[in-house]
Amino acid sequence: MTIKMIAVDMDGTFLNSQQDYDREKFNELYQEMKRQGVRFVIASGNQYYQLKSFFPGIEDELSFVAENGAFVVSEGKEVFTGEINHNVIHEVLTILADFDQGHTILCGKNSAYIAENEPASFVDHGKKYYHRLKKVPSLLDVQDDTLFKFALSFPVEQVTDVLKQLHAALGDKVIPVSSGHGDVDLIIPGIHKAHGLMKLQELWGVKNHEIAAFGDSGNDLEMLKHAGYSYVMSNGHPTVKVAAKEIILSNDENGVLIKIEELIGK
């Protein structure tokens, strides 16, 4: 087994329920990954500026497939940026206005945006995942940014039905994917975590069978199917578990780090 790239989702996978990880253990494994020439990639639906805050001191050595693949940054340099054109943005916002239980954040390269009339509880929820979050009078007014994702939030019990309704309403303008905890992302067709990994593979000459990927939610499916070695957390969604080669310990049991230790033979 030769692993040259390890790609990890964050929420529900690499991070525990306290939104943290065993930093001492990770640092020890990271030094060994560096020694072996194994690339460590963070692949998440979250914002780049939020993701890099979890890795102080080494963030410019790492690679990030952020925003579900719409923004890929490696060693501090931009590798790929997706874009949804403004006409589609307006069409989608008009459709979303009919989903009265939903809340929306519009995600761009420079910042994420939230309407001023959103409740404070949703603004606070958004700030956890979007360290750059600007309030605007209306999402229709956002102009001076490259926009590439919608992040929606619904009551958890509605998500399954909402996903079906969104698929029907949106056609192929954008693709709805579940990212756990009542969150749904609308992503550019064909631009997902696996696409982001492919961009990095081109840079590094890494083959699919040399990748180990870890995830737990619907937005990890393409990445798990793409990687030669795929692992889903025991706390993962049932529909995602069937896509992986192996189900491992949960995010609260250090599942990812224990498996990485095994993979790199430390």
Side-chain angles (χ1 to χ4, degrees):
M1 180 192 292
T2 304
I3 301 291
K4 292 187 178 173
M5 182 197 293
I6 291 174
V8 301
D9 170 55
M10 290 291 276
D11 297 304
T13 301
F14 188 75
L15 297 177
N16 59 29
S17 299
Q18 285 69 52
Q19 291 284 293
D20 206 351
Y21 61 97
D22 184 338
R23 292 174 187 245
E24 189 179 335
K25 180 76 173 167
F26 170 73
N27 188 51
E28 182 187 309
L29 292 173
Y30 177 62
Q31 296 308 322
E32 181 61 21
M33 283 186 264
K34 277 209 305 192
R35 196 186 68 72
Q36 293 186 21
V38 178
R39 304 279 188 166
F40 186 73
V41 179
I42 295 90
S44 169
N46 295 348
Q47 188 183 53
Y48 167 62
Y49 309 104
Q50 184 246 21
L51 294 172
K52 69 177 192 171
S53 73
F54 283 104
F55 301 95
I58 60 167
E59 68 269 38
D60 287 337
E61 297 178 13
L62 300 175
S63 300
F64 297 86
V65 173
E67 308 278 11
N68 278 327
F71 192 42
V72 182
V73 177
S74 181
E75 297 173 21
K77 296 184 183 66
E78 187 179 325
V79 173
F80 174 81
T81 307
E83 182 168 18
I84 304 172
N85 82 47
H86 281 278
N87 291 340
V88 172
I89 297 277
H90 284 218
E91 285 177 56
V92 172
L93 287 171
T94 305
I95 290 165
L96 291 176
D98 292 335
F99 287 80
D100 55 355
Q101 295 272 340
H103 302 282
T104 303
I105 291 172
L106 184 54
C107 307
K109 180 176 159 183
N110 298 325
S111 182
Y113 304 89
I114 192 167
E116 286 172 352
N117 63 354
E118 288 284 9
S121 58
F122 181 60
V123 176
D124 290 341
H125 173 76
K127 282 178 180 168
K128 273 193 264 179
Y129 302 101
Y130 298 92
H131 283 195
R132 292 189 187 180
L133 184 63
K134 285 184 187 167
K135 284 188 179 179
V136 291
S138 165
L139 295 181
L140 292 164
D141 299 337
V142 178
Q143 296 290 340
D144 302 324
D145 202 349
T146 303
L147 303 171
F148 41 49
K149 195 190 81 178
F150 296 82
L152 316 179
S153 188
F154 291 92
V156 174
E157 67 278 4
Q158 292 183 14
V159 167
T160 304
D161 286 340
V162 162
L163 280 170
K164 288 177 192 157
Q165 292 165 24
L166 286 169
H167 269 292
L170 294 164
D172 58 2
K173 293 180 181 73
V174 284
I175 308 296
V177 294
S178 165
S179 49
H181 315 294
D183 294 330
V184 173
D185 285 349
L186 305 182
I187 64 176
I188 302 166
I191 307 299
H192 39 58
K193 293 183 183 184
H195 180 271
L197 294 189
M198 285 184 242
K199 291 290 173 191
L200 295 172
Q201 286 175 254
E202 287 168 22
L203 280 183
W204 304 329
V206 173
K207 306 283 193 298
N208 296 3
H209 67 265
E210 297 170 323
I211 302 173
F214 296 80
D216 73 310
S217 286
N219 61 339
D220 298 313
L221 275 169
E222 291 89 355
M223 174 172 79
L224 293 166
K225 289 173 182 171
H226 178 73
Y229 300 91
S230 52
Y231 304 97
V232 169
M233 318 310 291
S234 63
N235 54 283
H237 194 277
T239 58
V240 184
K241 286 180 176 175
V242 298
K245 301 276 193 301
E246 190 181 326
I247 296 165
I248 61 171
L249 292 172
S250 76
N251 64 321
D252 283 327
E253 299 170 290
N254 249 359
V256 171
L257 295 182
I258 288 167
K259 181 52 71 172
I260 288 176
E261 185 167 38
E262 187 184 308
L263 289 172
I264 63 174
K266 180 131 184 9

